[in-house]
Amino acid sequence: MSLTILNAVVAVVAAIAFAAANAAYLVWAERRGAGRIQRRPGPNVNGPLGLLQPPCDGIKLMTKQLMIPGGADKALFMVAPVLAMAPAIMSFVTIPFSETIVAHSMNVGVLMIFAFASLGGMSILLAGWGSRNKYGVMASVRAVSQNISYEVPMLITVITIVMMAGTMNLKELVAAQAGGIWNWNLIPSLSSPLMPVSFLIFFICSLAETNRAPFDLGEAESELVAGFHTEYGSMGFGLFFMGEYANIVIGASLITILFLGGWDCPLGLFPGVWWFLLKIYMLIFSFIWIRWTFPRTTIYGLLNLSWKILIPISLFNLLLTAGLLKVF
Amino acid sequence: MIKEKMIQALSELFPDPEPIVEEPVVEAAEDEAADDGKKKKPKKKVEPPRVNGVLERDHAAHGYDIDVQLDPGELLAAVMIIDKAGFFIESITGVDWIKEKQLESVYDFSRYDHDLCRIVVRTRTPRDNPSVPTISKIYPGASWHERETHDFFGIKFEGHPHLIPLLLPEDADFHPLLKDFKP
Amino acid sequence: MSGPIHIRKDETFTLNVGPQHPATHGVLRVKMEMDGEYIVKAETVLGYIHRMHELMGENRTYPQVLPNLSRLDYLGAMGYTHGHVLAIERAAGIEVPERAEYIRAIMVELNRISSHLFWFGAFVMDLGGFTPLMYAIQDREHILDLMEAVTGSRLTYCYFRFGGLYNDVDDDFINATRAVIPMLRKSLKKYDALVTGNIIFRKRLEDIGPISAEMCRKYGATGPVARGAGLDFDVRKNEPYSVYPEFDFDIPVYHECDSLARYKVRMDEMEQSLRIIEQGLDKLPDGPIMPKKKPKLIKPPVGDYYQAVETARGSFGIRIVSDGTKNAYRFKLRSPTYSNMSLFDEACEGMMIMDALAMMGSLDLVIPEIDR
């Protein structure tokens, strides 16, 4: 009994630490990456390669006063940032980093992650609504319609994969792809010839779900000032920021698990956590790359893309896979 | 080409044939310049007030081609002619002629095509009650220019839908470009 | 895609875009009545940095006002001082040596490129792409260095004098400019490949923010806004001044009337400006840069003088009413963005806010120049 509690505490602490460390150092990576892309050095003053920049930022954010705008809904205003961070951390609990490193392997792991991911949209809505700012309200309405419309193709794609593997346990999903790159879901097989397309859809949807450019309409700083976190300063803003990066890590992990064979080596040799980390950081790098390369879409362009292109294609893929699974 | 046409069209606003004659002041100045070579305009104060009418100007010397002076009442008619001929509005401004106790509002129109012709329309109103009809119904772009001129000179543009300060503060009750303005 | 479906008058709210807003690039405020994301009605509020340059023009002598002109538009200051010196030269009848005219044209065109480059970066930033700004600023930096070496300032130039220039250019400048031209050509090609073809970029600009030729005429829009509406209007060609008739260059005109057309006009204009600079450097005659005979005190004869020049933003007009003294009796500045911006209220009605702000970016606003 006590061992289970200890286990749980260790798991939660590890998840929080991993999320926080990732969030902090992804900010650094993003800024350095942006610097490289934009022909400038990026943060390079604090510590070697500017590696001490994230702690400095953290200290600055934590020591700043938390301002609550007059007329704001205090409860919602305070709850929203926590709600942005908490589901992200919760999702880490069930993500398998390797065969053994997983806090709690659940039979409904996929379902749980998507349930918590939907809560992220909630926090944006509460933040925008609670801060009594017109830009915030507009941004939160945008973000919610965006989250809803991108969850649909995302889930349809996941259903396709779950159907193929016959499980919702993330560990078993990876196990189903073990053995080398030819077994990964990314590679088209007889039963699912459209898998690369699904991968693309899922990738686009994770960009949209994490509110990353070119789908960062929730914070569209050139239109809506800072979107839903316009009124947030100090650690309230910090939590949103960390939540965003934690969500990116989860998105990248999900792509890795669902399509890229999790902790498996492309050649089937030495599977382990390093392969998992390598894959998610490569994906995160591509997220950063896309952010600093593309302009922002419009809200109607975004919704059109989801409802008119992604959902029909993913539905077709679902039907095709279902039919082919019956045949083969 | 368009210049002659516009002079013709605008001259019809002035049934009086006499204003088409070249401005006497310019000729007088030129005469004097011819008389004593270097000293130009020793007595420019004598110039008589300009009569309403259409004047043809040298573009190279003044930067515009047609110079029309008219009463505020004829302004709309003139602007309609100009609008019909396809001119665009360049600017509206005022000039405070404090000695003559008059405020002049000046309208510049120009063309997009290569048939260059800039028309300047001037109209003068008494300084104590300056009022000119608005042309913002014909040229919506005049709205801002008129508001600006109202800010700076206090010229009232009759019929303007939204004559509130544009560049000056919302509660400004002064007109900084009047010559008797004390900051 | 844009256009309101149903607007209920009782369900709108007012959104203040500005005076401090990232998209307005300065202190401009647009009071928007919104129906969700759609703009029902917009009213621009100006005057946050109004400095009354016109009054300063009246109570200072003509040379004293010269630095003021470059404070109108901090991105394309050279064109505005050019307008002022041309107006005074026209009024006072001052002859300008040929070499000075050529150097002026080169400087104005360099400044036009630097202004357009900055606009390019800022415009793509308005659309959410940050990176082009950094690239554009780096290229602009080369031009600013060139101009700083000759004029002594980086943004607010006071380089032109009545009748000539403050400083002659040397061989270093000429060689450096010759070296910069191919580099800029390469960059322009790169921008075209990186940005113009981007599908998101095109989707955000194509058929968005229509400004028709008739609308331009009614509001007096000039410059790239008019040229993007299919109007072949450029003061350099329509009302030639300085040595522009000597140069062989084209006026880019696009007939689509949308934001993309305005973008393309400016991108092509940079290419044309490079052509002018090249020709100017080739043809640059020797000789003095100030006239031999120049009145000590500038007192234009009584009269009313107008001078229009093509600045980076459009047709800049300057009207000087002289009473024969050393101060102007009336000093009117007709700034191009003022007219270009005045059509925004009408043009953005019924648009979505993000499209409207993209259109605002395509107008190339410099607020100090609107407010004067």
Side-chain angles (χ1 to χ4, degrees), chain B residues 59-60 62-64 83 87 89-90 93-94 96 108 112-114 118 122 138 141 144 148 162 166 179, chain C residues 43 46 58 90 216-221 232-233 238-239 302 304-306 319 329-330 332 334 338 372:
Chain B
H59 189 95
H62 289 273
Y64 48 88
D83 177 36
F87 283 72
I89 180 157
E90 253 186 330
T93 187
D96 179 15
D108 294 308
Y112 283 129
D113 56 18
H114 290 260
R118 179 171 287 116
R122 307 156 186 283
I138 306 167
W144 277 22
E148 183 196 315
H162 198 57
L166 179 69
K179 290 284 170 189
Chain C
E43 188 199 339
L46 301 179
E58 283 179 21
R90 166 173 275 171
C216 285
R217 188 174 79 79
K218 291 287 189 187
Y219 282 91
D232 180 17
F233 176 74
N238 288 45
E239 194 182 338
V302 184
D304 183 346
Y305 307 94
Y306 193 93
R319 168 182 295 279
Y329 189 77
R330 175 81 181 94
K332 159 77 184 169
R334 185 252 181 224
Y338 185 85
R372 282 163 295 145

Short mmCIF file of all heavy atoms in Angstrom, two decimals, chain B residues 59-60 62-64 83 87 89-90 93-94 96 108 112-114 118 122 138 141 144 148 162 166 179, chain C residues 43 46 58 90 216-221 232-233 238-239 302 304-306 319 329-330 332 334 338 372:
data_model
loop_
_atom_site.label_atom_id
_atom_site.label_comp_id
_atom_site.label_asym_id
_atom_site.label_seq_id
_atom_site.Cartn_x
_atom_site.Cartn_y
_atom_site.Cartn_z
N HIS B 59 2.52 75.84 -64.96
CA HIS B 59 2.79 74.72 -64.05
C HIS B 59 4.22 74.77 -63.52
O HIS B 59 4.47 74.47 -62.35
CB HIS B 59 2.54 73.39 -64.77
CG HIS B 59 2.59 72.22 -63.84
ND1 HIS B 59 1.47 71.69 -63.27
CD2 HIS B 59 3.64 71.52 -63.36
CE1 HIS B 59 1.82 70.70 -62.47
NE2 HIS B 59 3.13 70.57 -62.52
N ALA B 60 5.14 75.15 -64.38
CA ALA B 60 6.54 75.13 -63.95
C ALA B 60 6.80 76.14 -62.84
O ALA B 60 7.63 75.92 -61.96
CB ALA B 60 7.44 75.43 -65.14
N HIS B 62 4.31 77.56 -60.72
CA HIS B 62 3.45 77.48 -59.54
C HIS B 62 3.16 76.06 -59.08
O HIS B 62 2.75 75.87 -57.94
CB HIS B 62 2.12 78.18 -59.83
CG HIS B 62 2.25 79.66 -59.92
ND1 HIS B 62 2.18 80.47 -58.80
CD2 HIS B 62 2.46 80.49 -60.96
CE1 HIS B 62 2.35 81.73 -59.16
NE2 HIS B 62 2.53 81.76 -60.48
N GLY B 63 3.26 75.12 -59.97
CA GLY B 63 2.95 73.76 -59.58
C GLY B 63 1.51 73.39 -59.81
O GLY B 63 1.10 72.30 -59.47
N TYR B 64 0.73 74.32 -60.35
CA TYR B 64 -0.63 73.96 -60.71
C TYR B 64 -1.03 74.67 -61.99
O TYR B 64 -0.36 75.60 -62.42
CB TYR B 64 -1.63 74.23 -59.59
CG TYR B 64 -1.52 75.58 -58.95
CD1 TYR B 64 -2.21 76.67 -59.45
CD2 TYR B 64 -0.73 75.76 -57.81
CE1 TYR B 64 -2.11 77.91 -58.86
CE2 TYR B 64 -0.62 77.00 -57.22
CZ TYR B 64 -1.31 78.07 -57.74
OH TYR B 64 -1.20 79.29 -57.16
N ASP B 83 -15.33 66.68 -60.41
CA ASP B 83 -15.55 65.25 -60.12
C ASP B 83 -15.92 64.50 -61.40
O ASP B 83 -15.43 63.40 -61.66
CB ASP B 83 -16.66 65.13 -59.06
CG ASP B 83 -17.00 63.68 -58.77
OD1 ASP B 83 -16.08 62.86 -58.79
OD2 ASP B 83 -18.18 63.39 -58.54
N PHE B 87 -11.19 63.89 -61.73
CA PHE B 87 -10.06 64.33 -60.91
C PHE B 87 -10.13 63.65 -59.55
O PHE B 87 -11.20 63.25 -59.09
CB PHE B 87 -10.10 65.84 -60.71
CG PHE B 87 -9.65 66.62 -61.89
CD1 PHE B 87 -10.43 66.70 -63.04
CD2 PHE B 87 -8.43 67.27 -61.87
CE1 PHE B 87 -9.99 67.41 -64.14
CE2 PHE B 87 -8.00 67.99 -62.97
CZ PHE B 87 -8.78 68.07 -64.10
N ILE B 89 -9.12 64.04 -55.35
CA ILE B 89 -8.91 65.13 -54.41
C ILE B 89 -7.53 64.99 -53.79
O ILE B 89 -7.14 63.92 -53.37
CB ILE B 89 -10.01 65.15 -53.35
CG1 ILE B 89 -9.77 66.30 -52.39
CG2 ILE B 89 -10.10 63.83 -52.59
CD1 ILE B 89 -11.00 66.74 -51.69
N GLU B 90 -6.78 66.06 -53.82
CA GLU B 90 -5.44 65.99 -53.24
C GLU B 90 -5.44 66.49 -51.80
O GLU B 90 -4.99 65.80 -50.91
CB GLU B 90 -4.45 66.80 -54.08
CG GLU B 90 -3.54 65.88 -54.86
CD GLU B 90 -2.45 66.62 -55.58
OE1 GLU B 90 -2.67 67.78 -55.96
OE2 GLU B 90 -1.39 66.02 -55.78
N THR B 93 -7.24 72.86 -47.68
CA THR B 93 -6.59 73.58 -46.58
C THR B 93 -7.16 74.99 -46.52
O THR B 93 -8.05 75.35 -47.29
CB THR B 93 -5.07 73.61 -46.77
OG1 THR B 93 -4.49 74.17 -45.62
CG2 THR B 93 -4.66 74.38 -47.98
N GLY B 94 -6.67 75.74 -45.60
CA GLY B 94 -7.14 77.12 -45.46
C GLY B 94 -5.97 78.07 -45.47
O GLY B 94 -4.82 77.68 -45.32
N ASP B 96 -5.30 82.05 -43.82
CA ASP B 96 -5.90 83.14 -43.06
C ASP B 96 -5.39 84.47 -43.60
O ASP B 96 -4.22 84.82 -43.41
CB ASP B 96 -5.51 82.99 -41.59
CG ASP B 96 -6.10 84.11 -40.74
OD1 ASP B 96 -7.00 84.81 -41.24
OD2 ASP B 96 -5.66 84.26 -39.59
N ASP B 108 -7.37 71.30 -53.67
CA ASP B 108 -6.49 70.86 -54.76
C ASP B 108 -7.04 69.59 -55.37
O ASP B 108 -7.41 68.66 -54.66
CB ASP B 108 -5.09 70.55 -54.22
CG ASP B 108 -4.40 71.78 -53.71
OD1 ASP B 108 -4.35 72.75 -54.47
OD2 ASP B 108 -3.93 71.76 -52.57
N TYR B 112 -5.09 61.21 -62.28
CA TYR B 112 -4.28 60.00 -62.25
C TYR B 112 -3.63 59.74 -63.61
O TYR B 112 -2.62 59.06 -63.68
CB TYR B 112 -5.13 58.79 -61.89
CG TYR B 112 -5.45 58.67 -60.42
CD1 TYR B 112 -6.75 58.50 -59.97
CD2 TYR B 112 -4.43 58.72 -59.47
CE1 TYR B 112 -7.04 58.37 -58.63
CE2 TYR B 112 -4.71 58.59 -58.13
CZ TYR B 112 -6.01 58.42 -57.71
OH TYR B 112 -6.29 58.29 -56.39
N ASP B 113 -4.23 60.22 -64.69
CA ASP B 113 -3.66 59.90 -66.00
C ASP B 113 -2.51 60.85 -66.31
O ASP B 113 -2.18 61.74 -65.54
CB ASP B 113 -4.74 59.91 -67.09
CG ASP B 113 -5.47 61.22 -67.13
OD1 ASP B 113 -4.93 62.20 -66.59
OD2 ASP B 113 -6.57 61.28 -67.70
N HIS B 114 -1.89 60.62 -67.45
CA HIS B 114 -0.69 61.39 -67.76
C HIS B 114 -0.99 62.75 -68.35
O HIS B 114 -0.09 63.48 -68.72
CB HIS B 114 0.21 60.56 -68.68
CG HIS B 114 0.82 59.40 -67.95
ND1 HIS B 114 2.09 59.41 -67.46
CD2 HIS B 114 0.28 58.22 -67.58
CE1 HIS B 114 2.34 58.28 -66.83
NE2 HIS B 114 1.26 57.54 -66.89
N ARG B 118 -3.41 70.19 -62.60
CA ARG B 118 -3.80 70.35 -61.19
C ARG B 118 -4.69 71.59 -61.09
O ARG B 118 -4.35 72.65 -61.57
CB ARG B 118 -2.58 70.50 -60.30
CG ARG B 118 -2.95 70.68 -58.84
CD ARG B 118 -1.77 70.62 -57.91
NE ARG B 118 -1.28 69.27 -57.77
CZ ARG B 118 -0.08 68.87 -58.16
NH1 ARG B 118 0.73 69.71 -58.71
NH2 ARG B 118 0.28 67.62 -57.98
N ARG B 122 -10.34 78.09 -54.99
CA ARG B 122 -10.28 78.89 -53.76
C ARG B 122 -11.61 79.54 -53.54
O ARG B 122 -12.29 79.93 -54.48
CB ARG B 122 -9.24 80.01 -53.89
CG ARG B 122 -7.90 79.58 -54.30
CD ARG B 122 -7.18 80.74 -54.95
NE ARG B 122 -5.92 80.25 -55.49
CZ ARG B 122 -4.86 80.01 -54.73
NH1 ARG B 122 -4.90 80.23 -53.44
NH2 ARG B 122 -3.76 79.55 -55.28
N ILE B 138 -19.58 64.74 -52.25
CA ILE B 138 -19.07 64.43 -53.58
C ILE B 138 -17.80 63.61 -53.48
O ILE B 138 -17.66 62.57 -54.11
CB ILE B 138 -18.81 65.73 -54.37
CG1 ILE B 138 -20.07 66.59 -54.36
CG2 ILE B 138 -18.38 65.42 -55.79
CD1 ILE B 138 -19.83 67.99 -54.84
N GLY B 141 -13.46 61.53 -49.38
CA GLY B 141 -12.13 61.78 -48.82
C GLY B 141 -11.97 63.18 -48.31
O GLY B 141 -11.06 63.46 -47.53
N TRP B 144 -12.03 64.14 -44.04
CA TRP B 144 -10.90 64.33 -43.12
C TRP B 144 -10.24 65.69 -43.34
O TRP B 144 -9.89 66.37 -42.40
CB TRP B 144 -9.85 63.24 -43.32
CG TRP B 144 -10.15 61.98 -42.60
CD1 TRP B 144 -11.37 61.55 -42.17
CD2 TRP B 144 -9.22 60.99 -42.20
NE1 TRP B 144 -11.24 60.35 -41.55
CE2 TRP B 144 -9.94 59.97 -41.56
CE3 TRP B 144 -7.83 60.86 -42.35
CZ2 TRP B 144 -9.32 58.83 -41.05
CZ3 TRP B 144 -7.23 59.72 -41.86
CH2 TRP B 144 -7.96 58.72 -41.20
N GLU B 148 -9.86 68.64 -40.66
CA GLU B 148 -8.56 69.21 -40.32
C GLU B 148 -8.58 70.73 -40.49
O GLU B 148 -8.08 71.48 -39.63
CB GLU B 148 -7.49 68.59 -41.22
CG GLU B 148 -6.09 69.06 -40.90
CD GLU B 148 -5.11 68.76 -42.03
OE1 GLU B 148 -5.17 67.63 -42.54
OE2 GLU B 148 -4.32 69.63 -42.38
N HIS B 162 -19.79 65.08 -39.62
CA HIS B 162 -19.04 64.66 -38.43
C HIS B 162 -17.92 65.65 -38.15
O HIS B 162 -16.75 65.29 -38.12
CB HIS B 162 -18.47 63.26 -38.71
CG HIS B 162 -18.05 62.53 -37.48
ND1 HIS B 162 -18.89 62.26 -36.44
CD2 HIS B 162 -16.86 61.97 -37.12
CE1 HIS B 162 -18.25 61.60 -35.51
NE2 HIS B 162 -17.02 61.40 -35.90
N LEU B 166 -10.15 66.48 -35.52
CA LEU B 166 -9.50 65.27 -36.03
C LEU B 166 -8.08 65.16 -35.48
O LEU B 166 -7.74 64.18 -34.85
CB LEU B 166 -9.47 65.31 -37.55
CG LEU B 166 -8.82 64.13 -38.25
CD1 LEU B 166 -9.65 62.89 -38.08
CD2 LEU B 166 -8.64 64.41 -39.73
N LYS B 179 -3.95 83.65 -37.72
CA LYS B 179 -2.78 84.49 -37.50
C LYS B 179 -2.82 85.19 -36.15
O LYS B 179 -1.79 85.64 -35.66
CB LYS B 179 -2.66 85.54 -38.62
CG LYS B 179 -2.29 84.92 -39.95
CD LYS B 179 -0.83 84.54 -40.02
CE LYS B 179 -0.56 83.71 -41.27
NZ LYS B 179 0.79 83.15 -41.27
N GLU C 43 -14.23 53.87 -37.21
CA GLU C 43 -13.92 55.30 -37.24
C GLU C 43 -12.50 55.47 -36.76
O GLU C 43 -12.13 55.05 -35.67
CB GLU C 43 -14.89 56.07 -36.34
CG GLU C 43 -14.73 57.55 -36.49
CD GLU C 43 -15.33 58.33 -35.33
OE1 GLU C 43 -16.17 57.78 -34.62
OE2 GLU C 43 -14.91 59.48 -35.15
N LEU C 46 -7.44 60.21 -34.97
CA LEU C 46 -6.05 60.61 -35.19
C LEU C 46 -5.60 61.60 -34.14
O LEU C 46 -6.35 61.97 -33.24
CB LEU C 46 -5.91 61.27 -36.55
CG LEU C 46 -6.29 60.49 -37.79
CD1 LEU C 46 -6.09 61.36 -38.99
CD2 LEU C 46 -5.43 59.27 -37.90
N GLU C 58 5.32 78.11 -40.33
CA GLU C 58 4.99 79.52 -40.50
C GLU C 58 5.87 80.42 -39.64
O GLU C 58 6.17 81.54 -40.02
CB GLU C 58 3.52 79.75 -40.15
CG GLU C 58 2.60 79.30 -41.24
CD GLU C 58 1.14 79.51 -40.87
OE1 GLU C 58 0.85 80.33 -40.00
OE2 GLU C 58 0.30 78.83 -41.47
N ARG C 90 11.43 76.02 -56.60
CA ARG C 90 10.45 76.48 -57.58
C ARG C 90 10.00 77.90 -57.25
O ARG C 90 9.94 78.76 -58.13
CB ARG C 90 9.25 75.54 -57.55
CG ARG C 90 8.05 76.08 -58.27
CD ARG C 90 6.97 75.04 -58.34
NE ARG C 90 7.18 74.18 -59.49
CZ ARG C 90 6.49 73.07 -59.73
NH1 ARG C 90 5.58 72.67 -58.88
NH2 ARG C 90 6.72 72.36 -60.80
N CYS C 216 -10.11 55.05 -54.74
CA CYS C 216 -8.87 55.81 -54.65
C CYS C 216 -9.09 57.26 -55.07
O CYS C 216 -8.61 58.19 -54.43
CB CYS C 216 -7.81 55.20 -55.57
SG CYS C 216 -7.10 53.70 -54.96
N ARG C 217 -9.86 57.42 -56.13
CA ARG C 217 -10.09 58.77 -56.65
C ARG C 217 -10.89 59.59 -55.65
O ARG C 217 -10.57 60.75 -55.39
CB ARG C 217 -10.84 58.67 -57.97
CG ARG C 217 -10.95 59.99 -58.70
CD ARG C 217 -11.58 59.80 -60.04
NE ARG C 217 -13.02 59.66 -59.97
CZ ARG C 217 -13.87 60.67 -59.82
NH1 ARG C 217 -13.41 61.90 -59.72
NH2 ARG C 217 -15.16 60.46 -59.77
N LYS C 218 -11.91 58.99 -55.09
CA LYS C 218 -12.76 59.75 -54.18
C LYS C 218 -12.03 60.13 -52.90
O LYS C 218 -12.37 61.09 -52.23
CB LYS C 218 -14.00 58.94 -53.83
CG LYS C 218 -14.96 58.76 -54.99
CD LYS C 218 -15.69 60.04 -55.30
CE LYS C 218 -16.81 59.79 -56.30
NZ LYS C 218 -17.43 61.04 -56.75
N TYR C 219 -11.04 59.30 -52.52
CA TYR C 219 -10.33 59.58 -51.29
C TYR C 219 -8.95 60.19 -51.53
O TYR C 219 -8.25 60.52 -50.60
CB TYR C 219 -10.20 58.31 -50.45
CG TYR C 219 -11.46 57.96 -49.71
CD1 TYR C 219 -12.42 57.13 -50.26
CD2 TYR C 219 -11.70 58.49 -48.45
CE1 TYR C 219 -13.57 56.82 -49.59
CE2 TYR C 219 -12.86 58.18 -47.76
CZ TYR C 219 -13.79 57.35 -48.34
OH TYR C 219 -14.93 57.05 -47.67
N GLY C 220 -8.56 60.27 -52.78
CA GLY C 220 -7.26 60.85 -53.08
C GLY C 220 -6.10 59.95 -52.73
O GLY C 220 -5.03 60.44 -52.40
N ALA C 221 -6.31 58.64 -52.78
CA ALA C 221 -5.22 57.73 -52.46
C ALA C 221 -4.19 57.75 -53.59
O ALA C 221 -4.54 57.83 -54.76
CB ALA C 221 -5.75 56.32 -52.28
N ASP C 232 -2.23 53.99 -63.16
CA ASP C 232 -0.85 54.19 -63.57
C ASP C 232 -0.43 55.58 -63.13
O ASP C 232 -0.29 56.48 -63.94
CB ASP C 232 -0.76 54.01 -65.09
CG ASP C 232 0.65 54.20 -65.59
OD1 ASP C 232 1.57 54.14 -64.76
OD2 ASP C 232 0.81 54.41 -66.79
N PHE C 233 -0.29 55.75 -61.83
CA PHE C 233 -0.02 57.10 -61.33
C PHE C 233 1.23 57.09 -60.47
O PHE C 233 1.30 56.41 -59.45
CB PHE C 233 -1.21 57.59 -60.51
CG PHE C 233 -0.98 58.93 -59.87
CD1 PHE C 233 -0.99 60.08 -60.65
CD2 PHE C 233 -0.74 59.04 -58.52
CE1 PHE C 233 -0.75 61.31 -60.08
CE2 PHE C 233 -0.51 60.28 -57.95
CZ PHE C 233 -0.52 61.41 -58.73
N ASN C 238 4.18 61.18 -63.93
CA ASN C 238 3.07 62.03 -64.32
C ASN C 238 3.41 63.51 -64.27
O ASN C 238 2.89 64.29 -65.04
CB ASN C 238 1.87 61.79 -63.40
CG ASN C 238 1.24 60.46 -63.65
OD1 ASN C 238 1.94 59.46 -63.79
ND2 ASN C 238 -0.07 60.44 -63.75
N GLU C 239 4.23 63.86 -63.32
CA GLU C 239 4.54 65.28 -63.14
C GLU C 239 6.04 65.36 -62.91
O GLU C 239 6.50 65.64 -61.82
CB GLU C 239 3.77 65.79 -61.91
CG GLU C 239 3.72 67.28 -61.78
CD GLU C 239 2.97 67.69 -60.52
OE1 GLU C 239 2.17 66.88 -60.02
OE2 GLU C 239 3.20 68.80 -60.04
N VAL C 302 5.98 86.88 -53.73
CA VAL C 302 4.60 86.66 -53.29
C VAL C 302 3.93 85.68 -54.23
O VAL C 302 4.06 85.78 -55.44
CB VAL C 302 3.84 88.01 -53.32
CG1 VAL C 302 2.43 87.81 -52.77
CG2 VAL C 302 4.59 89.05 -52.52
N ASP C 304 1.70 81.63 -54.57
CA ASP C 304 1.18 80.39 -54.03
C ASP C 304 1.83 79.27 -54.83
O ASP C 304 1.70 79.22 -56.05
CB ASP C 304 -0.34 80.41 -54.22
CG ASP C 304 -1.00 79.20 -53.64
OD1 ASP C 304 -0.30 78.24 -53.32
OD2 ASP C 304 -2.24 79.22 -53.51
N TYR C 305 2.61 78.44 -54.20
CA TYR C 305 3.39 77.44 -54.91
C TYR C 305 3.04 76.05 -54.42
O TYR C 305 2.87 75.83 -53.22
CB TYR C 305 4.89 77.69 -54.73
CG TYR C 305 5.27 79.09 -55.06
CD1 TYR C 305 5.34 80.06 -54.07
CD2 TYR C 305 5.52 79.47 -56.38
CE1 TYR C 305 5.66 81.36 -54.37
CE2 TYR C 305 5.85 80.77 -56.69
CZ TYR C 305 5.91 81.72 -55.68
OH TYR C 305 6.23 83.00 -55.99
N TYR C 306 2.94 75.14 -55.34
CA TYR C 306 2.64 73.76 -54.96
C TYR C 306 3.70 72.87 -55.57
O TYR C 306 4.12 73.07 -56.70
CB TYR C 306 1.26 73.36 -55.49
CG TYR C 306 0.74 72.08 -54.92
CD1 TYR C 306 -0.09 72.10 -53.80
CD2 TYR C 306 1.07 70.85 -55.47
CE1 TYR C 306 -0.57 70.93 -53.25
CE2 TYR C 306 0.60 69.67 -54.93
CZ TYR C 306 -0.22 69.72 -53.82
OH TYR C 306 -0.70 68.55 -53.28
N ARG C 319 2.49 72.94 -50.11
CA ARG C 319 1.99 74.20 -50.62
C ARG C 319 2.58 75.31 -49.79
O ARG C 319 2.50 75.30 -48.57
CB ARG C 319 0.46 74.25 -50.52
CG ARG C 319 -0.14 75.62 -50.75
CD ARG C 319 -1.63 75.58 -50.58
NE ARG C 319 -2.24 74.74 -51.60
CZ ARG C 319 -2.48 75.17 -52.84
NH1 ARG C 319 -2.20 76.39 -53.18
NH2 ARG C 319 -3.02 74.35 -53.71
N TYR C 329 3.97 82.25 -45.35
CA TYR C 329 2.70 82.74 -44.82
C TYR C 329 1.80 81.56 -44.50
O TYR C 329 1.07 81.57 -43.52
CB TYR C 329 2.04 83.67 -45.84
CG TYR C 329 0.83 84.39 -45.29
CD1 TYR C 329 0.99 85.48 -44.44
CD2 TYR C 329 -0.45 83.97 -45.60
CE1 TYR C 329 -0.10 86.12 -43.91
CE2 TYR C 329 -1.55 84.62 -45.07
CZ TYR C 329 -1.37 85.70 -44.23
OH TYR C 329 -2.46 86.33 -43.71
N ARG C 330 1.86 80.57 -45.33
CA ARG C 330 1.09 79.36 -45.08
C ARG C 330 1.92 78.20 -45.60
O ARG C 330 2.51 78.27 -46.68
CB ARG C 330 -0.24 79.43 -45.82
CG ARG C 330 -1.07 78.17 -45.73
CD ARG C 330 -1.83 78.09 -44.43
NE ARG C 330 -2.60 76.85 -44.37
CZ ARG C 330 -2.16 75.73 -43.80
NH1 ARG C 330 -0.98 75.70 -43.24
NH2 ARG C 330 -2.92 74.64 -43.79
N LYS C 332 1.57 74.29 -46.07
CA LYS C 332 0.64 73.16 -46.00
C LYS C 332 1.35 71.89 -46.46
O LYS C 332 2.02 71.89 -47.49
CB LYS C 332 -0.58 73.44 -46.87
CG LYS C 332 -1.38 72.22 -47.31
CD LYS C 332 -2.25 71.67 -46.21
CE LYS C 332 -2.95 70.40 -46.67
NZ LYS C 332 -3.59 69.69 -45.58
N ARG C 334 0.69 68.09 -47.58
CA ARG C 334 -0.30 67.10 -47.97
C ARG C 334 0.37 65.73 -47.89
O ARG C 334 1.19 65.38 -48.72
CB ARG C 334 -0.77 67.39 -49.40
CG ARG C 334 -1.88 66.51 -49.88
CD ARG C 334 -1.40 65.53 -50.89
NE ARG C 334 -2.52 64.72 -51.35
CZ ARG C 334 -2.46 63.42 -51.50
NH1 ARG C 334 -1.36 62.79 -51.29
NH2 ARG C 334 -3.51 62.75 -51.91
N TYR C 338 -2.13 60.11 -45.11
CA TYR C 338 -3.35 60.73 -44.58
C TYR C 338 -4.53 60.40 -45.49
O TYR C 338 -5.58 59.95 -45.05
CB TYR C 338 -3.11 62.23 -44.51
CG TYR C 338 -4.20 63.06 -43.90
CD1 TYR C 338 -4.26 63.24 -42.53
CD2 TYR C 338 -5.14 63.70 -44.69
CE1 TYR C 338 -5.23 64.01 -41.96
CE2 TYR C 338 -6.12 64.48 -44.13
CZ TYR C 338 -6.16 64.64 -42.77
OH TYR C 338 -7.13 65.41 -42.22
N ARG C 372 1.17 64.53 -38.51
CA ARG C 372 2.00 65.71 -38.76
C ARG C 372 2.16 66.55 -37.50
O ARG C 372 1.68 67.64 -37.37
CB ARG C 372 1.45 66.55 -39.90
CG ARG C 372 1.80 65.93 -41.23
CD ARG C 372 0.95 66.50 -42.31
NE ARG C 372 -0.42 66.13 -42.10
CZ ARG C 372 -1.47 66.89 -42.38
NH1 ARG C 372 -1.31 68.07 -42.86
NH2 ARG C 372 -2.70 66.47 -42.16
#
